[in-house]
Amino acid sequence: MDTSRSKSGLNSLSTSSLEQSPAGRRSSGLPGTSGALKALRSRRLLLSVESLLRRWNPEPRTGARMTEPPQQHYLELSENPVQFEHASSVNNVFFDEANKQVFAVRSGGATGVVVKGPDDKSSVAFRMDDKGEVKCIKFSIGNKILAVQRTSKSVDFINFIPDYPHTEFSQECKTKNANVLGFCWTNWNEIVFITDQGIEFYQVFPDKRSLKLLKNQSINVNWYQYCPETAVILLSTTVQGNILQPFAFRNGTMSKMSKFEIELPVIPKPAKLSLSERDIAMATIYGQLYVMYLKHHSRTANSPSAEVVLYHLPREGACKKSHVLKLNTTGKFALNIVDNLVVVHHQSSQTSLIFDINLKEPDCAVNTHQPVLPARSIHPYRMPLAGPAVVPSQPPVPCQLYSSSWSVFQPDIIISASEGYLWYLQVKLHPTVNLLQDKGKLMDFLLRRRDCKMVILSVCSQILEGGVKGSLPVVATVFDKLNQVYKEYLEAEQSYTVAMESGPSRGSAAQKRPVRTQAVIDQSDMYTHVLSSFTERKEVSHKFVIAVLMEYIRSLNQHQITVQHYLYELVIKTLVQHNLFYMLHQFLQYHVLSDSKPLACLLLSLESTYPPAHQLSLDMLKRLSTANDEIVEVLLSKQQVLGALRFIRSVGGHDNVSARKFLDAARQTGDQMLFYTVFRSFQQRNQRLRGSPAFNPGEHCYLWYLQVKLHPTVNLLQDKGKLMDFLLRRRDCKMVILSVCSQILEGGVKGSLPVVATVFDKLNQVYKEYLEAEQSYTVAMESGPSRGSAAQKRPVRTQAVIDQSDMYTHVLSSFTERKEVSHKFVIAVLMEYIRSLNQHQITVQHYLYELVIKTLVQHNLFYMLHQFLQYHVLSDSKPLACLLLSLESTYPPAHQLSLDMLKRLSTANDEIVEVLLSKQQVLGALRFIRSVGGHDNVSARKFLDAARQTGDQMLFYTVFRSFQQRNQRLRGSPAFNPGEHCEEHVVHFKQLFGEQALMKPSTV
């Protein structure tokens, strides 16, 4: 390989050497196909490649070849590369690292310049006059002004701002006898010329077509590099070139930073240029700017291997050597930064190494790092054939990885000028899981990566797969690392909230809301993706399951994170499932499980299995001191009415408690003396508070008052129709009327149906009159008052208006539960009430239909249910359809009846899809949503979740490809948007069918 240096500062190109670009040098012509090699070696094009690329950085002696590794690829090229016209004798290719744009310049621009960027918006095509060979070409930020260098003395400019003339204007460097090495845009209208005698900082005035010199600095320059992310230019000075002088640019100002020296392996005598730009790169890693020096040692038989030395370059203060990356081999190398990882490519072995500088020893001045993972090749890549003789059906051909035509740019760009491709290098995290056996180190590594959440959760699941207690220390370490990041995020969020509430303080910058990265694994993530499924695995020892759950809770408590109740519930369910009640009792007794209302409710539900759970629940609720209402409900549900009354008195809540709730509970016990005691207790309360034992109307205790004092008067009128006419004209009649209705139904004889029908009709007549008056009032209000007419008053709802909810709550629901009444009579009464409502043109509420259905199901009258639905005796509604769905296990045809009802509603497409997916009829759901035209807007994740749960790989493939085709049709790309949250399914698809099975965009 030819490693000699040309006058342009680049080593000449050979077919066995690949170039790496020094970050920030002038955009320049890329190495092209073999036909262009001769032209690239010429002085014309060598001058034009000044900033673009340097070859794979060669070590002074032939390097040893790395051992061929197993094929587990953790690096890959981007799926959708930027394609451009490849370099040739008539087409020069340039790359601008600041805007990430590739320029294809044909015939000096006379026959066209095509600019392609990371997205279509930054793509531009134009022509310019051929005024000589182009050495360098770049757009300013935002593609507003184009700068073109054709000579070593000046730079030409062309306006691309709308409404500005496109006439070229030029600027020569101010320093006499100086040659322009290159230029860098630092803002849309600010540019820096770098000459061999210093730097010149200009402001561009596009309207005046002129430049103003803002500042200049005289210094001998060998070469330079530019970091666009930080706007820092690095100049190589002195004879040996190892004294580097950085300059920073911000808001129209240029500031000189502290210069520093690169330690050379050998000091040449006599002195000569020993540090070239191909040995240096600048990049931002973990938000800090570093200068990376690829250090080769002298040509001795036992010389150490190459290494990458990182110098930390702060805005203020001295630059210091901070990290050394051991490559453990020699040869030709190139550097990338991907996701804050230093990637070192080794050409001869065609492998790459990755380093994470944050995996370091604390309090160490210079950290020495070994590769995080074993050396591996980039994942194989296939490219479609190009050219006039290509047949469309020809398959893609493999791309030659680590090719000599490759060029490497910071941070993560690889360009093949000969093929016309620009890729972004990417890290695949899934393969790293099995390559890094130390799970603590693996977790440190993953937590610093960008798209890490699902990989971290899969690692957690993988660790728990063994189900061995010996792995508990590893589990504890992993949980602690996750919760440390979780805690830091919570503290940052809390600090931000406090700052926002207190308002900005003087002189302090506005505080930014903390960004929730994928490294934040909260309790819901762990519960959903790891712990809930882990507790269901039968092959794992229940002791290990409980130990893992308690270890996670221990870690949360150690980091002072409030444990969510569903984690405690998971512990309790696991303990109950294995009859470990003694352990449950201990956990509660010693407050290992923290008190909460949801936990107390769960304990209540365990009473039938573990009777002491009832008292444990009450004790927990009492400790909470904010759950008095819940304690009362628990005691009343157990018919401990006097106990509830004593408790509410002990906490001082007797004056505000609902009397009706206690009277209901007392009546349900059937104990008349208990009812009398409770009733008199509330009468005494009323007397003390209001000076009268009577209940207020708002307390709805009329029925109980009647039961004690007025009930006998109801039996004095035997004609129930006449009694109803009498009661409907009284003021406080509602509860008496409802009592009469219950009394009529007590007999449970079909002969009383005419009386029941008469009563229902009289009630619904009054109900209908009120609804019509309310509707008339609403219409009048919407249309506005008419001239000469008096303002219409809103109708008053008297107690004579007995609506459907009143009948359902106080009469029908309890009536259907009476076992001594014939079910035929119950159904007849319900249908009679529905008949009366329909006769009076009152819309029947769905809960009445539900009452009919429940009664029919309770007595296995499915044939009657089918008839009622078939002949629309029961009207369609979503709640009714949902009820039918719940009956499927008892009556299988109910599933189809429910679907038919939902389809008739025509507003329940989402519900139909949910029903079909719940039955794992994924393709049926897909066909249905297409038939109603909702396929374009439906959630892909919902269908992919359902398909994956079936375990049918071909079904998952079909559904996945269906949504890829939809994406291609709607957005021109088969990829899922980030907002669709389908990353997990994409990974699963790749694992099942390989990356090559993914649908590619139809055009690029």
Side-chain angles (χ1 to χ4, degrees):
M1 187 187 104
D2 183 5
T3 60
S4 62
R5 298 282 298 172
S6 71
K7 292 181 180 179
S8 68
L10 288 174
N11 55 321
S12 59
L13 183 64
S14 69
T15 56
S16 64
S17 65
L18 192 158
E19 294 182 309
Q20 172 178 333
S21 161
R25 300 181 58 229
R26 285 172 32 186
S27 66
S28 55
L30 296 161
T33 58
S34 58
L37 293 179
K38 182 177 179 181
L40 282 168
R41 290 193 183 98
S42 69
R43 185 176 183 278
R44 175 177 63 84
L45 283 181
L46 281 174
L47 285 172
S48 74
V49 296
E50 190 263 60
S51 114
L52 183 56
L53 306 171
R54 58 187 157 116
R55 309 249 160 77
W56 289 84
N57 192 315
E59 210 276 336
R61 63 188 180 89
T62 304
R65 186 178 181 83
M66 291 184 180
T67 307
E68 188 67 23
Q71 293 304 304
Q72 289 180 300
H73 311 283
Y74 49 74
L75 292 171
E76 64 181 354
L77 302 176
S78 55
E79 292 182 4
N80 302 313
V82 177
Q83 287 186 263
F84 54 90
E85 184 179 353
H86 63 81
S88 65
S89 58
V90 296
N91 182 60
N92 289 340
V93 178
F94 302 83
F95 181 67
D96 173 16
E97 288 179 280
N99 292 318
K100 305 294 186 285
Q101 292 174 327
V102 179
F103 290 74
V105 182
R106 295 178 62 86
S107 305
T111 57
V113 177
V114 178
V115 185
K116 290 206 172 182
D119 51 59
D120 294 335
K121 293 180 181 178
S122 59
S123 298
V124 184
F126 58 91
R127 294 188 181 186
M128 60 184 185
D129 296 336
D130 185 0
K131 296 183 179 180
E133 296 166 0
V134 175
K135 297 170 182 272
C136 179
I137 182 169
K138 294 181 185 180
F139 268 117
S140 68
I141 298 170
N143 293 357
K144 296 181 181 294
I145 307 170
L146 179 70
V148 184
Q149 183 185 353
R150 297 185 175 97
T151 71
S152 61
K153 298 295 182 181
S154 64
V155 177
D156 300 327
F157 297 89
I158 305 174
N159 286 329
F160 274 76
I161 303 173
D163 302 327
Y164 276 62
H166 282 235
T167 310
E168 286 193 19
F169 55 100
S170 182
Q171 176 66 45
E172 292 188 358
C173 62
K174 296 292 185 182
T175 309
K176 293 181 179 180
N177 302 321
N179 294 317
V180 178
L181 300 178
F183 61 85
C184 303
W185 287 101
T186 60
N187 205 335
W188 78 269
N189 65 340
E190 293 171 0
I191 192 169
V192 182
F193 289 4
I194 299 94
T195 71
D196 54 6
Q197 296 182 30
I199 58 175
E200 301 172 2
F201 185 32
Y202 292 95
Q203 183 177 359
V204 183
F205 296 95
D207 52 343
K208 300 178 181 178
R209 297 194 298 120
S210 63
L211 280 75
K212 176 186 176 182
L213 180 64
L214 299 177
K215 195 171 183 180
N216 66 333
Q217 178 79 40
S218 296
I219 185 173
N220 291 327
V221 180
N222 302 309
W223 47 263
Y224 77 95
Q225 288 193 18
Y226 178 56
C227 179
E229 288 80 12
T230 55
V232 172
I233 293 177
L234 193 64
L235 305 181
S236 166
T237 66
T238 72
V239 176
Q240 295 176 359
N242 66 326
I243 303 297
L244 302 182
Q245 175 63 65
F247 289 88
F249 298 85
R250 181 185 293 174
N251 300 328
T253 62
M254 179 179 82
S255 56
K256 189 176 182 180
M257 302 168 67
S258 300
K259 65 181 178 181
F260 61 98
E261 181 179 359
I262 297 291
E263 299 175 8
L264 298 174
V266 178
I267 306 299
K269 293 182 180 180
K272 62 178 181 179
L273 186 62
S274 302
L275 183 69
S276 67
E277 68 272 33
R278 69 186 179 192
D279 301 320
I280 298 293
M282 279 200 301
T284 302
I285 309 173
Y286 290 115
Q288 300 295 319
L289 179 60
Y290 287 90
V291 175
M292 299 183 289
Y293 167 44
L294 188 49
K295 186 176 183 180
H296 297 286
H297 292 275
S298 59
R299 296 169 179 260
T300 58
N302 58 353
S303 64
S305 59
E307 57 190 28
V308 179
V309 183
L310 270 63
Y311 293 82
H312 180 219
L313 185 57
R315 281 275 177 177
E316 297 179 359
C319 180
K320 294 181 180 179
K321 177 180 175 181
S322 55
H323 300 276
V324 176
L325 315 182
K326 293 292 186 180
L327 305 184
N328 303 320
T329 188
T330 57
K332 292 172 289 182
F333 302 92
L335 302 176
N336 273 132
I337 305 297
V338 184
D339 202 3
N340 291 312
L341 294 170
V342 180
V343 181
V344 182
H345 307 290
H346 186 243
Q347 189 186 29
S348 60
S349 66
Q350 295 193 357
T351 59
S352 301
L353 295 166
I354 61 172
F355 296 84
D356 188 347
I357 64 172
N358 264 14
L359 295 177
K360 60 185 179 181
E361 296 295 331
D363 301 326
C364 187
V366 178
N367 289 277
T368 301
H369 301 265
Q370 293 293 334
V372 178
L373 300 171
R376 292 291 185 267
S377 170
I378 297 172
H379 194 285
Y381 188 88
R382 300 178 73 86
M383 299 186 300
L385 290 171
V390 172
V391 178
S393 61
Q394 283 184 280
V397 296
C399 171
Q400 183 185 350
L401 302 178
Y402 303 90
S403 164
S404 59
S405 69
W406 274 18
S407 308
V408 181
F409 291 88
Q410 301 310 320
D412 55 357
I413 292 174
I414 296 176
I415 296 178
S416 175
S418 61
E419 301 289 350
Y421 276 79
L422 180 152
W423 296 282
Y424 289 92
L425 187 65
Q426 298 170 342
V427 174
K428 296 196 299 180
L429 296 180
H430 277 283
T432 66
V433 173
N434 297 321
L435 292 174
L436 207 52
Q437 297 304 317
D438 184 339
K439 299 306 178 186
K441 191 175 180 182
L442 172 63
M443 206 53 61
D444 288 334
F445 173 78
L446 292 176
L447 285 169
R448 295 180 173 91
R449 307 288 72 82
R450 189 169 50 243
D451 301 322
C452 63
K453 175 169 283 187
M454 296 314 298
V455 182
I456 288 174
L457 292 170
S458 72
V459 169
C460 293
S461 298
Q462 187 186 67
I463 294 172
L464 300 179
E465 278 178 5
V468 183
K469 281 198 172 182
S471 63
L472 266 180
V474 178
V475 173
T477 300
V478 169
F479 286 163
D480 286 342
K481 289 182 181 293
L482 295 180
N483 289 328
Q484 179 61 37
V485 177
Y486 182 20
K487 176 64 175 175
E488 289 169 0
Y489 169 74
L490 292 177
E491 287 177 341
E493 185 71 26
Q494 185 179 8
S495 174
Y496 171 79
T497 303
V498 171
M500 291 299 100
E501 290 174 353
S502 60
S505 57
R506 288 186 178 180
S508 63
Q511 190 168 356
K512 291 183 179 179
R513 188 181 196 112
V515 177
R516 177 166 183 157
T517 66
Q518 288 207 17
V520 178
I521 310 293
D522 61 17
Q523 298 173 64
S524 64
D525 295 325
M526 284 296 294
Y527 176 85
T528 305
H529 298 282
V530 181
L531 299 177
S532 58
S533 56
F534 170 63
T535 57
E536 294 171 2
R537 296 181 58 190
K538 296 180 180 179
E539 69 275 14
V540 180
S541 161
H542 64 270
K543 293 183 179 179
F544 182 68
V545 171
I546 294 166
V548 167
L549 293 175
M550 297 313 299
E551 194 58 52
Y552 186 60
I553 290 172
R554 188 269 321 153
S555 179
L556 289 170
N557 286 325
Q558 183 175 313
H559 289 87
Q560 298 178 331
I561 300 171
T562 304
V563 183
Q564 294 299 314
H565 65 83
Y566 46 77
L567 292 175
Y568 291 138
E569 290 174 11
L570 201 59
V571 174
I572 291 176
K573 288 177 181 176
T574 306
L575 293 170
V576 170
Q577 190 177 353
H578 296 92
N579 296 318
L580 298 173
F581 297 112
Y582 69 93
M583 192 179 290
L584 170 60
H585 208 114
Q586 286 181 322
F587 282 176
L588 293 168
Q589 188 174 0
Y590 295 105
H591 306 295
V592 176
L593 307 179
S594 299
D595 298 338
S596 71
K597 290 182 183 179
L599 212 59
C601 294
L602 177 61
L603 287 172
L604 274 177
S605 68
L606 300 176
E607 184 185 1
S608 58
T609 309
Y610 183 53
H614 174 74
Q615 191 58 46
L616 289 171
S617 170
L618 285 177
D619 293 342
M620 182 178 289
L621 289 171
K622 197 164 186 180
R623 287 194 300 271
L624 287 171
S625 73
T626 57
N628 296 334
D629 292 341
E630 286 79 2
I631 294 175
V632 168
E633 292 294 340
V634 171
L635 293 171
L636 292 180
S637 70
K638 300 294 293 182
Q639 294 192 337
Q640 298 177 20
V641 186
L642 291 181
L645 205 54
R646 291 189 196 100
F647 171 76
I648 206 68
R649 279 177 175 166
S650 70
V651 295
H654 183 243
D655 292 351
N656 302 315
V657 79
S658 166
R660 181 175 176 178
K661 182 193 295 183
F662 282 78
L663 291 169
D664 278 342
R667 188 186 180 195
Q668 286 171 5
T669 65
D671 187 337
Q672 294 184 3
M673 286 308 298
L674 173 64
F675 180 81
Y676 179 85
T677 302
V678 174
F679 190 90
R680 291 304 297 269
S681 168
F682 282 103
Q683 276 195 316
Q684 291 166 0
R685 181 196 71 172
N686 297 343
Q687 180 71 41
R688 176 170 52 82
L689 294 177
R690 299 192 291 268
S692 169
F695 292 95
N696 284 336
E699 293 182 273
H700 304 295
C701 292
Y702 303 111
L703 184 59
W704 315 132
Y705 187 72
L706 285 171
Q707 184 175 340
V708 175
K709 203 165 185 178
L710 302 178
H711 190 70
T713 62
V714 175
N715 297 321
L716 295 177
L717 262 176
Q718 297 302 319
D719 185 339
K720 301 304 177 187
K722 193 173 181 181
L723 172 63
M724 202 56 60
D725 289 334
F726 171 78
L727 291 175
L728 283 170
R729 293 178 176 86
R730 307 285 74 80
R731 186 172 59 244
D732 300 326
C733 62
K734 176 172 282 189
M735 298 310 298
V736 183
I737 290 172
L738 293 170
S739 171
V740 170
C741 291
S742 297
Q743 187 185 66
I744 294 171
L745 299 179
E746 278 180 4
V749 183
K750 281 198 173 181
S752 63
L753 267 180
V755 178
V756 172
T758 300
V759 170
F760 286 163
D761 286 342
K762 288 181 181 293
L763 295 179
N764 288 330
Q765 179 61 37
V766 177
Y767 183 20
K768 175 64 176 176
E769 290 170 359
Y770 169 75
L771 292 177
E772 287 177 342
E774 184 71 27
Q775 185 178 9
S776 174
Y777 171 77
T778 303
V779 172
M781 291 299 98
E782 290 176 351
S783 60
S786 57
R787 289 185 179 179
S789 64
Q792 190 168 356
K793 292 183 179 180
R794 187 177 196 123
V796 178
R797 177 167 181 157
T798 66
Q799 288 208 16
V801 179
I802 309 295
D803 62 16
Q804 297 174 65
S805 64
D806 295 325
M807 283 297 294
Y808 175 86
T809 304
H810 298 284
V811 181
L812 298 178
S813 60
S814 57
F815 169 63
T816 58
E817 294 172 0
R818 294 179 59 188
K819 296 181 180 179
E820 69 274 13
V821 180
S822 162
H823 65 269
K824 293 183 180 179
F825 181 66
V826 171
I827 294 168
V829 168
L830 294 175
M831 297 312 298
E832 192 59 50
Y833 185 60
I834 291 172
R835 188 261 332 146
S836 178
L837 290 169
N838 287 326
Q839 182 176 312
H840 288 86
Q841 299 179 333
I842 300 172
T843 304
V844 182
Q845 295 299 314
H846 65 85
Y847 45 76
L848 293 175
Y849 289 139
E850 290 175 10
L851 201 59
V852 174
I853 292 175
K854 287 178 181 177
T855 305
L856 292 171
V857 171
Q858 189 177 355
H859 297 92
N860 296 319
L861 299 174
F862 298 112
Y863 68 94
M864 192 178 290
L865 169 61
H866 209 113
Q867 287 181 321
F868 282 178
L869 292 168
Q870 188 174 0
Y871 296 104
H872 304 296
V873 176
L874 306 179
S875 300
D876 297 338
S877 72
K878 289 183 183 180
L880 212 59
C882 294
L883 177 61
L884 287 171
L885 273 178
S886 68
L887 300 176
E888 184 184 2
S889 59
T890 310
Y891 183 52
H895 174 72
Q896 191 58 46
L897 290 171
S898 169
L899 285 178
D900 294 342
M901 182 178 290
L902 288 171
K903 199 162 188 180
R904 287 195 299 271
L905 287 170
S906 75
T907 59
N909 295 336
D910 291 341
E911 287 80 359
I912 294 175
V913 169
E914 293 294 341
V915 171
L916 292 170
L917 292 181
S918 70
K919 299 294 292 180
Q920 294 193 335
Q921 299 177 17
V922 186
L923 291 182
L926 207 53
R927 293 189 194 100
F928 171 76
I929 204 67
R930 281 178 174 164
S931 69
V932 297
H935 184 242
D936 290 352
N937 303 315
V938 78
S939 164
R941 180 177 178 180
K942 181 194 299 181
F943 282 78
L944 292 170
D945 281 342
R948 189 173 175 184
Q949 287 170 2
T950 64
D952 186 338
Q953 294 185 3
M954 287 313 298
L955 173 63
F956 181 77
Y957 179 89
T958 303
V959 174
F960 190 91
R961 289 305 293 268
S962 167
F963 282 102
Q964 277 198 315
Q965 291 165 359
R966 180 195 73 171
N967 297 343
Q968 178 69 39
R969 175 170 53 81
L970 294 178
R971 301 192 291 266
S973 168
F976 293 95
N977 284 337
E980 295 181 273
H981 305 296
C982 293
E983 297 84 358
E984 180 182 358
H985 296 297
V986 174
V987 171
H988 183 63
F989 186 88
K990 291 180 182 179
Q991 290 174 343
L992 291 178
F993 309 107
E995 192 167 352
Q996 66 279 4
L998 285 172
M999 183 177 173
K1000 306 298 181 185
S1002 56
T1003 58
V1004 179

